[in-house]
Amino acid sequence: MQFILILIVVMGGMGLSVEAGLLGPLGGEVGELWATFSVFSVGAALTFMLMLFFSPRNSPSFFKQPSWTLLGGVLGPVYVVILTITAPVIGIAMTMIGILMGQIAKSLLIDHYGLFGTQHRQVDRKRLVALVFIIISLLLMAQG
């Protein structure tokens, strides 16, 4: 089961690279903020349609959730604007490895301290070595 989940997240990561590739030209034509707005509008419409057909009818109220859980709604557009601006300039691969480095570094802190209600996972030597390899790959790509 874990292998299938890993495969799903790898495919999700591939989707983010495609998204970065699409956002660059779109942002060049209509502007970064309009490109971001259009991506989130299409995503919101699709999510709404999926909710109509697949969301459980007895789920807890959206409005009863802690307000800090909505921070992703702020971070998502910031991420998309960053993709839209950087991918055409430094390339999709460099953009993605930079994003990946930031994600892994912050994820290690979140796991280590069990932030946001996540399960505590100790940062060990193997995880730090993995982060170092990602940093090295970012530096190598920046030089190439």
Side-chain angles (χ1 to χ4, degrees), residues 45-92:
L46 176 61
T47 303
F48 180 72
M49 295 302 291
L50 291 171
M51 285 173 40
L52 287 178
F53 295 106
F54 300 108
S55 182
R57 302 288 183 234
N58 57 354
S59 59
S61 172
F62 171 78
F63 297 104
K64 291 183 180 178
Q65 305 310 308
S67 58
W68 63 266
T69 61
L70 300 177
L71 185 60
V74 174
L75 297 175
V78 169
Y79 169 75
V80 172
V81 169
I82 289 169
L83 287 181
T84 307
I85 293 170
T86 60
V89 177
I90 64 174
I92 295 170

Side-chain angles (χ1 to χ4, degrees), residues 13-142:
M14 290 177 180
L16 291 176
S17 294
V18 171
E19 182 180 32
L22 297 172
L23 282 167
L26 181 61
E29 290 294 320
V30 300
E32 290 84 9
L33 296 179
W34 278 107
T36 301
F37 179 75
S38 68
V39 166
F40 277 94
S41 297
V42 170
L46 176 61
T47 303
F48 180 72
M49 295 302 291
L50 291 171
M51 285 173 40
L52 287 178
F53 295 106
F54 300 108
S55 182
R57 302 288 183 234
N58 57 354
S59 59
S61 172
F62 171 78
F63 297 104
K64 291 183 180 178
Q65 305 310 308
S67 58
W68 63 266
T69 61
L70 300 177
L71 185 60
V74 174
L75 297 175
V78 169
Y79 169 75
V80 172
V81 169
I82 289 169
L83 287 181
T84 307
I85 293 170
T86 60
V89 177
I90 64 174
I92 295 170
M94 186 70 181
T95 299
M96 288 295 120
I97 197 72
I99 293 285
L100 179 64
M101 193 200 95
Q103 286 176 328
I104 299 303
K106 192 61 166 185
S107 296
L108 288 175
L109 289 172
I110 292 169
D111 278 352
H112 184 74
Y113 294 106
L115 301 176
F116 311 119
T118 62
Q119 180 180 347
H120 170 79
R121 289 179 175 86
Q122 186 73 27
V123 174
D124 58 9
R125 182 171 288 160
K126 288 180 183 178
R127 290 176 176 227
L128 288 175
V129 168
L131 177 60
V132 168
F133 279 129
I134 292 170
I135 293 169
I136 291 169
S137 67
L138 179 63
L139 293 172
L140 289 173
M141 290 187 84

